[in-house]
Structure formats: C-alpha cells, structure tokens
Amino acid sequence: LDQTNVYSQNEWYWQNPYPQGNRLRSVHFTDMNSGWTAGFNGTILKTTDKGTSWETQISGTSANLNSIQFKNYNTGWTVGDSGIILRTTNSGANWIKQVSGTSDPLNAVYFTDINTGWAVGYSGKILKSTDGGVTWIPQISGTTNWLRSVCFTNNNSWSFHLLFSSI
C-alpha cells in the first residue's frame, strides 16, 4: 500500500456560489445600482453595481434573516428567526440588534417612511415602530396564523398575507 502526504492550502476561499453559499430570502434595491439581500445564517450582501458583484456585510447574528427593506441608501432593517430585528443607518456598514420583545420568527418588515414600520411573523405576530425601528410595540392581529408579508398602499391602508398549513 503506497502512502501519500497531503498538505492543506492556507489560502482557501469561497469560489462558487460567490461570495457565499447560504440561501437568500429577500432583496431590496434603493435605486438601479444599490441593493441588499438577506438570508440564512445571518447573511447580508450589498451591491452597488446593479447586482454584478456583491460584498458580504457583517450582521452580527447567525439567525436566518427573512426580509430586508431600505427607505433610502443609508437606512434599512432586516428581520428573521428568533424575533431578530437589525437596523442600519450607514448603508449596512454596521447592523445594530433592536429589541423586538418576541422570540417568534419574523417573516417580513415594511416601513412607510423613515420612522413608521411594521414587522410580522408566526402566531399572528405584528410589531409596529414609530421611531425608525429603535423600539417595537406589539399589535393585536386577531389571528394565530403565520403572517408572511406586509405592505402598505398608503400611510393608512395596509395588508398582510397569511400562510396556512394543513399540518
């Protein structure tokens, strides 16, 4: 039996899919060039060239991130499993964890303006912020179904979408 020594390489890097291999759940562009995407294991990526290349941003969490939204180039939010809410005011250079008050997974986030926003999730969870996502107040939804998305047609009219499970 022949024996061969194998030595590890000290400059391994992720090649495909680049720049990472985690599943992505949400994408949001603020203009035709600049966008962010969020996904599993705390993944946040940013592009400034229409999505041709993406750079990894440090989220500070390993929780799955389910939704991301920006109101302008600087200010954005992402929500995910275990009630995680992250906020940035510097284009994602730093993501700061906000207190959501829940451990239920959050599936979607939507801000109508720089101050007023909602996050929705499992068990009919609805949270509202009126201070740019710094603090979140629970709202009564009237359902225990999973809320998967939320959107507004104007500042007073909103809707959320349910996910029904047959299990």
PDB file of all heavy atoms in Angstrom, residues 58-75:
ATOM      1  N   ILE A  58     -21.364  42.295   7.699  1.00  0.00           N
ATOM      2  CA  ILE A  58     -21.391  41.570   8.973  1.00  0.00           C
ATOM      3  C   ILE A  58     -22.674  41.925   9.710  1.00  0.00           C
ATOM      4  O   ILE A  58     -22.874  43.066  10.118  1.00  0.00           O
ATOM      5  CB  ILE A  58     -20.155  41.911   9.816  1.00  0.00           C
ATOM      6  CG1 ILE A  58     -18.895  41.462   9.079  1.00  0.00           C
ATOM      7  CG2 ILE A  58     -20.253  41.264  11.196  1.00  0.00           C
ATOM      8  CD1 ILE A  58     -17.610  41.918   9.697  1.00  0.00           C
ATOM      9  N   SER A  59     -23.550  40.925   9.873  1.00  0.00           N
ATOM     10  CA  SER A  59     -24.839  41.154  10.526  1.00  0.00           C
ATOM     11  C   SER A  59     -24.745  41.031  12.042  1.00  0.00           C
ATOM     12  O   SER A  59     -25.569  41.596  12.755  1.00  0.00           O
ATOM     13  CB  SER A  59     -25.882  40.166  10.007  1.00  0.00           C
ATOM     14  OG  SER A  59     -25.574  38.849  10.437  1.00  0.00           O
ATOM     15  N   GLY A  60     -23.790  40.250  12.525  1.00  0.00           N
ATOM     16  CA  GLY A  60     -23.669  40.036  13.965  1.00  0.00           C
ATOM     17  C   GLY A  60     -24.615  38.982  14.503  1.00  0.00           C
ATOM     18  O   GLY A  60     -24.768  38.845  15.716  1.00  0.00           O
ATOM     19  N   THR A  61     -25.263  38.218  13.622  1.00  0.00           N
ATOM     20  CA  THR A  61     -26.167  37.159  14.062  1.00  0.00           C
ATOM     21  C   THR A  61     -25.986  35.938  13.173  1.00  0.00           C
ATOM     22  O   THR A  61     -25.523  36.061  12.032  1.00  0.00           O
ATOM     23  CB  THR A  61     -27.644  37.608  14.013  1.00  0.00           C
ATOM     24  OG1 THR A  61     -28.473  36.571  14.559  1.00  0.00           O
ATOM     25  CG2 THR A  61     -28.098  37.932  12.599  1.00  0.00           C
ATOM     26  N   SER A  62     -26.356  34.788  13.702  1.00  0.00           N
ATOM     27  CA  SER A  62     -26.389  33.579  12.884  1.00  0.00           C
ATOM     28  C   SER A  62     -27.831  33.160  12.611  1.00  0.00           C
ATOM     29  O   SER A  62     -28.072  32.131  11.982  1.00  0.00           O
ATOM     30  CB  SER A  62     -25.627  32.442  13.577  1.00  0.00           C
ATOM     31  OG  SER A  62     -26.226  32.149  14.816  1.00  0.00           O
ATOM     32  N   ALA A  63     -28.786  33.970  13.061  1.00  0.00           N
ATOM     33  CA  ALA A  63     -30.204  33.680  12.810  1.00  0.00           C
ATOM     34  C   ALA A  63     -30.511  33.834  11.325  1.00  0.00           C
ATOM     35  O   ALA A  63     -29.915  34.667  10.639  1.00  0.00           O
ATOM     36  CB  ALA A  63     -31.086  34.624  13.623  1.00  0.00           C
ATOM     37  N   ASN A  64     -31.453  33.041  10.841  1.00  0.00           N
ATOM     38  CA  ASN A  64     -31.904  33.198   9.461  1.00  0.00           C
ATOM     39  C   ASN A  64     -32.635  34.526   9.334  1.00  0.00           C
ATOM     40  O   ASN A  64     -33.486  34.854  10.163  1.00  0.00           O
ATOM     41  CB  ASN A  64     -32.843  32.061   9.065  1.00  0.00           C
ATOM     42  CG  ASN A  64     -32.143  30.735   9.005  1.00  0.00           C
ATOM     43  OD1 ASN A  64     -30.922  30.659   8.858  1.00  0.00           O
ATOM     44  ND2 ASN A  64     -32.904  29.663   9.114  1.00  0.00           N
ATOM     45  N   LEU A  65     -32.307  35.292   8.300  1.00  0.00           N
ATOM     46  CA  LEU A  65     -32.949  36.574   8.039  1.00  0.00           C
ATOM     47  C   LEU A  65     -33.932  36.383   6.896  1.00  0.00           C
ATOM     48  O   LEU A  65     -33.584  35.846   5.852  1.00  0.00           O
ATOM     49  CB  LEU A  65     -31.906  37.637   7.710  1.00  0.00           C
ATOM     50  CG  LEU A  65     -30.880  37.874   8.823  1.00  0.00           C
ATOM     51  CD1 LEU A  65     -29.788  38.829   8.360  1.00  0.00           C
ATOM     52  CD2 LEU A  65     -31.562  38.393  10.088  1.00  0.00           C
ATOM     53  N   ASN A  66     -35.185  36.816   7.106  1.00  0.00           N
ATOM     54  CA  ASN A  66     -36.266  36.507   6.184  1.00  0.00           C
ATOM     55  C   ASN A  66     -36.718  37.667   5.309  1.00  0.00           C
ATOM     56  O   ASN A  66     -37.376  37.449   4.295  1.00  0.00           O
ATOM     57  CB  ASN A  66     -37.470  35.970   6.965  1.00  0.00           C
ATOM     58  CG  ASN A  66     -37.103  34.715   7.730  1.00  0.00           C
ATOM     59  OD1 ASN A  66     -36.404  33.850   7.225  1.00  0.00           O
ATOM     60  ND2 ASN A  66     -37.556  34.627   8.966  1.00  0.00           N
ATOM     61  N   SER A  67     -36.415  38.893   5.710  1.00  0.00           N
ATOM     62  CA  SER A  67     -36.894  40.052   4.956  1.00  0.00           C
ATOM     63  C   SER A  67     -35.943  41.222   5.184  1.00  0.00           C
ATOM     64  O   SER A  67     -35.388  41.370   6.278  1.00  0.00           O
ATOM     65  CB  SER A  67     -38.307  40.425   5.428  1.00  0.00           C
ATOM     66  OG  SER A  67     -38.802  41.554   4.759  1.00  0.00           O
ATOM     67  N   ILE A  68     -35.764  42.053   4.155  1.00  0.00           N
ATOM     68  CA  ILE A  68     -34.921  43.233   4.275  1.00  0.00           C
ATOM     69  C   ILE A  68     -35.590  44.375   3.522  1.00  0.00           C
ATOM     70  O   ILE A  68     -36.206  44.157   2.475  1.00  0.00           O
ATOM     71  CB  ILE A  68     -33.491  42.962   3.743  1.00  0.00           C
ATOM     72  CG1 ILE A  68     -32.537  44.075   4.163  1.00  0.00           C
ATOM     73  CG2 ILE A  68     -33.484  42.727   2.244  1.00  0.00           C
ATOM     74  CD1 ILE A  68     -31.062  43.704   4.004  1.00  0.00           C
ATOM     75  N   GLN A  69     -35.522  45.581   4.086  1.00  0.00           N
ATOM     76  CA  GLN A  69     -36.066  46.763   3.423  1.00  0.00           C
ATOM     77  C   GLN A  69     -35.234  47.986   3.774  1.00  0.00           C
ATOM     78  O   GLN A  69     -34.780  48.131   4.910  1.00  0.00           O
ATOM     79  CB  GLN A  69     -37.520  47.027   3.816  1.00  0.00           C
ATOM     80  CG  GLN A  69     -38.132  48.106   2.928  1.00  0.00           C
ATOM     81  CD  GLN A  69     -39.242  48.899   3.571  1.00  0.00           C
ATOM     82  OE1 GLN A  69     -39.508  48.804   4.752  1.00  0.00           O
ATOM     83  NE2 GLN A  69     -39.904  49.711   2.765  1.00  0.00           N
ATOM     84  N   PHE A  70     -35.040  48.848   2.802  1.00  0.00           N
ATOM     85  CA  PHE A  70     -34.373  50.133   2.991  1.00  0.00           C
ATOM     86  C   PHE A  70     -35.324  51.242   2.577  1.00  0.00           C
ATOM     87  O   PHE A  70     -36.074  51.091   1.610  1.00  0.00           O
ATOM     88  CB  PHE A  70     -33.098  50.213   2.138  1.00  0.00           C
ATOM     89  CG  PHE A  70     -31.903  49.580   2.771  1.00  0.00           C
ATOM     90  CD1 PHE A  70     -31.792  48.209   2.871  1.00  0.00           C
ATOM     91  CD2 PHE A  70     -30.880  50.364   3.283  1.00  0.00           C
ATOM     92  CE1 PHE A  70     -30.697  47.616   3.463  1.00  0.00           C
ATOM     93  CE2 PHE A  70     -29.762  49.781   3.876  1.00  0.00           C
ATOM     94  CZ  PHE A  70     -29.669  48.403   3.963  1.00  0.00           C
ATOM     95  N   LYS A  71     -35.300  52.368   3.292  1.00  0.00           N
ATOM     96  CA  LYS A  71     -36.082  53.540   2.894  1.00  0.00           C
ATOM     97  C   LYS A  71     -35.245  54.503   2.075  1.00  0.00           C
ATOM     98  O   LYS A  71     -35.777  55.308   1.321  1.00  0.00           O
ATOM     99  CB  LYS A  71     -36.659  54.275   4.112  1.00  0.00           C
ATOM    100  CG  LYS A  71     -37.892  53.649   4.688  1.00  0.00           C
ATOM    101  CD  LYS A  71     -38.937  53.247   3.682  1.00  0.00           C
ATOM    102  CE  LYS A  71     -39.686  54.375   3.042  1.00  0.00           C
ATOM    103  NZ  LYS A  71     -40.688  53.901   2.063  1.00  0.00           N
ATOM    104  N   ASN A  72     -33.941  54.453   2.244  1.00  0.00           N
ATOM    105  CA  ASN A  72     -33.015  55.248   1.446  1.00  0.00           C
ATOM    106  C   ASN A  72     -31.681  54.513   1.453  1.00  0.00           C
ATOM    107  O   ASN A  72     -31.573  53.431   2.027  1.00  0.00           O
ATOM    108  CB  ASN A  72     -32.897  56.686   1.982  1.00  0.00           C
ATOM    109  CG  ASN A  72     -32.464  56.737   3.434  1.00  0.00           C
ATOM    110  OD1 ASN A  72     -31.541  56.045   3.855  1.00  0.00           O
ATOM    111  ND2 ASN A  72     -33.144  57.556   4.227  1.00  0.00           N
ATOM    112  N   TYR A  73     -30.670  55.076   0.850  1.00  0.00           N
ATOM    113  CA  TYR A  73     -29.388  54.391   0.736  1.00  0.00           C
ATOM    114  C   TYR A  73     -28.763  54.071   2.095  1.00  0.00           C
ATOM    115  O   TYR A  73     -28.049  53.086   2.234  1.00  0.00           O
ATOM    116  CB  TYR A  73     -28.419  55.234  -0.100  1.00  0.00           C
ATOM    117  CG  TYR A  73     -27.083  54.567  -0.315  1.00  0.00           C
ATOM    118  CD1 TYR A  73     -26.943  53.535  -1.243  1.00  0.00           C
ATOM    119  CD2 TYR A  73     -25.969  54.947   0.413  1.00  0.00           C
ATOM    120  CE1 TYR A  73     -25.725  52.909  -1.443  1.00  0.00           C
ATOM    121  CE2 TYR A  73     -24.743  54.325   0.217  1.00  0.00           C
ATOM    122  CZ  TYR A  73     -24.631  53.302  -0.707  1.00  0.00           C
ATOM    123  OH  TYR A  73     -23.428  52.678  -0.897  1.00  0.00           O
ATOM    124  N   ASN A  74     -29.042  54.858   3.102  1.00  0.00           N
ATOM    125  CA  ASN A  74     -28.413  54.670   4.411  1.00  0.00           C
ATOM    126  C   ASN A  74     -29.210  53.821   5.389  1.00  0.00           C
ATOM    127  O   ASN A  74     -28.640  53.070   6.168  1.00  0.00           O
ATOM    128  CB  ASN A  74     -28.118  56.021   5.061  1.00  0.00           C
ATOM    129  CG  ASN A  74     -27.043  56.773   4.332  1.00  0.00           C
ATOM    130  OD1 ASN A  74     -26.007  56.213   4.010  1.00  0.00           O
ATOM    131  ND2 ASN A  74     -27.295  58.033   4.041  1.00  0.00           N
ATOM    132  N   THR A  75     -30.532  53.945   5.396  1.00  0.00           N
ATOM    133  CA  THR A  75     -31.355  53.400   6.471  1.00  0.00           C
ATOM    134  C   THR A  75     -32.135  52.173   6.038  1.00  0.00           C
ATOM    135  O   THR A  75     -32.930  52.235   5.102  1.00  0.00           O
ATOM    136  CB  THR A  75     -32.327  54.476   6.995  1.00  0.00           C
ATOM    137  OG1 THR A  75     -31.568  55.642   7.332  1.00  0.00           O
ATOM    138  CG2 THR A  75     -33.060  53.990   8.229  1.00  0.00           C
TER     139      THR A  75
END
